[in-house]
Amino acid sequence: MPAKSRFTRLDAFTKTVEDARIRTTSGGVVTIASLLIVLYLVWGEWSDYRRIVVHPELIVDKGRGERMEIHLNISFPQIPCELLTLDVMDVSGEQQTGVKHGISKVHLAPALQGGMPIEIKALDLHGDEPASHLDPSYCGECYGPPAPPTASKPGCCQTCEEVREAYAAVSWAFGKGEGVQQCEREHYSEKLEAQRDQGCRIEGGFRVNKVIGNFHIAPGRSFSNGMMHVHDLNNYLDPSQGSHTFTHTIHHLRFGPQLPDDLTKRVGEKTLGWTNHHLNPLDNTVQSTDDAAFNYMYFLKVVSTSYYPLGWKSKGTTGDITPDYVSIGQHGLGSDGSLETHQYSVTSHKRSLKGGTDEGHKERLHAVGGIPGVFFSYDISPMKVINREERTKTFTGFLTGVCAVIGGTLTVAAAIDRAFYEGATRIKKLHQR
């Protein structure tokens, strides 16, 4: 016999000689069954290790100097595009009047004709070359106010649009341009009349400061009169222009980028805590009225929300200052797969600007006056939700689980096999008596 090693006395797994072992049919069945169970449970451990879940965290939003994008798609079947203006303002004092960058106005056929989109270029009221044929020495009159700073020729109003801008700059109502040479030359009144029964869809996105603010879609050009923000409602309320109302459909309204569909599928259906907020509460909202002097107000509470993919590491940056060169629609989309967006809740209110009481609630009195339109007031929550992709267990945890599965299964199988063997032995002894 070989010399005994000093480790022999430490052997916790003592062996029996082959002659002392007894193999039984029941033991073979238990062995096969235990192996199948081990394989099944190990596969379950592997699937659990590979599964990715989203772990939500709630923290205080410490970002400074941030901006966010608002994307919208709203149809107004009873107002032509020429009468609609999108304005944005916030508590920091920043105002964006007549927002055009990133926004498209799609002209819609009258509702009785199906309300389908119409070619935009054919409906351009002002055109691209209304003054190209004029004498180079021509200097159009602005009819009272000074020429706007954006005029194509300093000190002159060469087009109907420039006259309108000059009027808006001094808070004067413009109307349909009667008696204005530039507007008569461009047939502004006739083109406005041709659009009287058409609708409009406003779609696109714009960027705002991440502070309390509002944006609204209202009729006529906007301007400031003292400390008041007002709109030129002459053409909107003109009976000869037909009956305009702010019946509208909000097809889509969101703050920040949308969670990509492939990302939603990869995260899985069990993480509805993350994906559910992208069912924006105002999507597919329909409001209708027969009153031209009607006001719709939506009050939104916006919560910053971040999504970090598996393996994402912080780069140590603070704040989320968006460079001006980042195009609309790209803000919040990180090259590393991270996503900075927002979710929101909403309450709404609507009222007639003529005042009066609610039907069935005579104790509720509405104030008289205001601007007809659709107004969105948003407030920023001080909290931030972080959704981080994580595995349910580490690789060490996976190995621990595999060892536990193998050890536990074999231990239970050995106990079952021992029970079968002892039972069979006792039954055999009883038959031998």
Side-chain angles (χ1 to χ4, degrees), residues 122-201:
L123 299 172
D124 188 0
L125 287 177
H126 308 290
D128 295 328
E129 12 174 282
S132 59
H133 64 284
L134 299 177
D135 190 301
S137 61
Y138 174 77
C139 180
E141 183 182 355
C142 294
Y143 297 89
T150 57
S152 58
K153 187 174 184 178
C156 305
C157 291
Q158 303 293 84
T159 65
C160 180
E161 177 68 12
E162 292 180 355
V163 178
R164 294 181 67 205
E165 290 182 5
Y167 269 60
V170 295
S171 305
W172 290 1
F174 184 76
K176 293 186 288 185
E178 297 92 340
V180 177
Q181 181 185 12
Q182 294 90 326
C183 296
E184 293 179 349
R185 182 182 67 235
E186 299 173 21
H187 305 288
Y188 173 77
S189 179
E190 291 86 344
K191 293 178 181 178
L192 184 63
E193 176 68 19
Q195 295 186 20
R196 179 177 61 183
D197 297 326
Q198 295 173 1
C200 184
R201 184 172 74 237

Side-chain angles (χ1 to χ4, degrees), residues 321-361:
I321 301 176
T322 306
D324 293 334
Y325 59 79
V326 176
S327 59
I328 298 295
Q330 297 301 311
H331 171 50
L333 299 174
S335 58
D336 55 0
S338 61
L339 187 70
E340 297 287 343
T341 184
H342 304 83
Q343 53 184 313
Y344 66 92
S345 61
V346 61
T347 57
S348 62
H349 179 69
K350 57 185 178 181
R351 69 181 181 91
S352 172
L353 303 182
K354 300 173 185 178
T357 61
D358 279 342
E359 183 178 354
H361 300 277

Side-chain angles (χ1 to χ4, degrees), residues 74-388:
I74 307 176
S75 294
F76 300 88
Q78 298 181 12
I79 310 178
C81 288
E82 179 61 19
L83 295 183
L84 290 177
T85 301
L86 171 62
D87 296 331
V88 184
M89 56 194 67
D90 58 45
V91 295
S92 69
E94 180 177 303
Q95 292 191 23
Q96 303 178 47
T97 57
V99 177
K100 296 180 179 179
H101 178 67
I103 297 295
S104 299
K105 290 183 177 180
V106 180
H107 295 253
L108 304 177
L112 296 178
Q113 300 178 15
M116 300 302 293
I118 306 175
E119 176 63 35
I120 299 177
K121 294 182 179 179
L123 299 172
D124 188 0
L125 287 177
H126 308 290
D128 295 328
E129 12 174 282
S132 59
H133 64 284
L134 299 177
D135 190 301
S137 61
Y138 174 77
C139 180
E141 183 182 355
C142 294
Y143 297 89
T150 57
S152 58
K153 187 174 184 178
C156 305
C157 291
Q158 303 293 84
T159 65
C160 180
E161 177 68 12
E162 292 180 355
V163 178
R164 294 181 67 205
E165 290 182 5
Y167 269 60
V170 295
S171 305
W172 290 1
F174 184 76
K176 293 186 288 185
E178 297 92 340
V180 177
Q181 181 185 12
Q182 294 90 326
C183 296
E184 293 179 349
R185 182 182 67 235
E186 299 173 21
H187 305 288
Y188 173 77
S189 179
E190 291 86 344
K191 293 178 181 178
L192 184 63
E193 176 68 19
Q195 295 186 20
R196 179 177 61 183
D197 297 326
Q198 295 173 1
C200 184
R201 184 172 74 237
I202 296 181
E203 58 187 19
F206 53 92
R207 196 167 291 155
V208 298
N209 294 320
K210 193 176 173 182
V211 295
I212 298 173
N214 77 84
F215 63 95
H216 59 267
I217 301 171
R221 278 185 176 266
S222 59
F223 50 86
S224 297
N225 188 353
M227 298 297 293
M228 298 180 61
H229 178 83
V230 295
H231 285 252
D232 180 4
L233 303 179
N234 282 353
N235 290 335
Y236 175 75
L237 297 177
D238 186 356
S240 66
Q241 292 298 311
S243 176
H244 300 310
T245 69
F246 268 91
T247 294
H248 63 278
T249 300
I250 303 176
H251 304 290
H252 191 67
L253 178 67
R254 59 183 168 86
F255 291 76
Q258 183 80 9
L259 186 68
D261 293 338
D262 60 337
L263 193 57
T264 303
K265 294 177 181 178
R266 181 157 53 87
V267 170
E269 298 180 354
K270 294 183 179 180
T271 56
L272 292 179
W274 161 253
T275 59
N276 196 40
H277 88 269
H278 278 273
L279 302 176
N280 301 300
L282 281 179
D283 287 2
N284 301 316
T285 298
V286 179
Q287 298 279 9
S288 60
T289 179
D290 296 326
D291 188 354
F294 211 81
N295 178 288
Y296 292 94
M297 292 172 284
Y298 298 95
F299 302 94
L300 304 97
K301 192 73 171 181
V302 181
V303 181
S304 300
T305 305
S306 299
Y307 174 82
Y308 299 143
L310 185 67
W312 181 88
K313 299 294 183 182
S314 175
K315 297 180 180 180
T317 56
T318 58
D320 189 25
I321 301 176
T322 306
D324 293 334
Y325 59 79
V326 176
S327 59
I328 298 295
Q330 297 301 311
H331 171 50
L333 299 174
S335 58
D336 55 0
S338 61
L339 187 70
E340 297 287 343
T341 184
H342 304 83
Q343 53 184 313
Y344 66 92
S345 61
V346 61
T347 57
S348 62
H349 179 69
K350 57 185 178 181
R351 69 181 181 91
S352 172
L353 303 182
K354 300 173 185 178
T357 61
D358 279 342
E359 183 178 354
H361 300 277
K362 296 184 178 181
E363 70 280 3
R364 297 180 183 175
L365 297 177
H366 294 301
V368 179
I371 300 175
V374 180
F375 293 74
F376 300 87
S377 297
Y378 54 88
D379 191 6
I380 308 298
S381 171
M383 307 306 292
K384 181 176 184 178
V385 177
I386 295 179
N387 296 275
R388 196 185 307 272

Side-chain angles (χ1 to χ4, degrees), residues 58-87:
L58 187 63
I59 64 172
V60 175
D61 190 356
K62 299 180 180 179
R64 299 186 303 275
E66 297 183 9
R67 291 173 70 80
M68 64 180 180
E69 288 184 358
I70 301 175
H71 297 264
L72 52 81
N73 188 325
I74 307 176
S75 294
F76 300 88
Q78 298 181 12
I79 310 178
C81 288
E82 179 61 19
L83 295 183
L84 290 177
T85 301
L86 171 62
D87 296 331

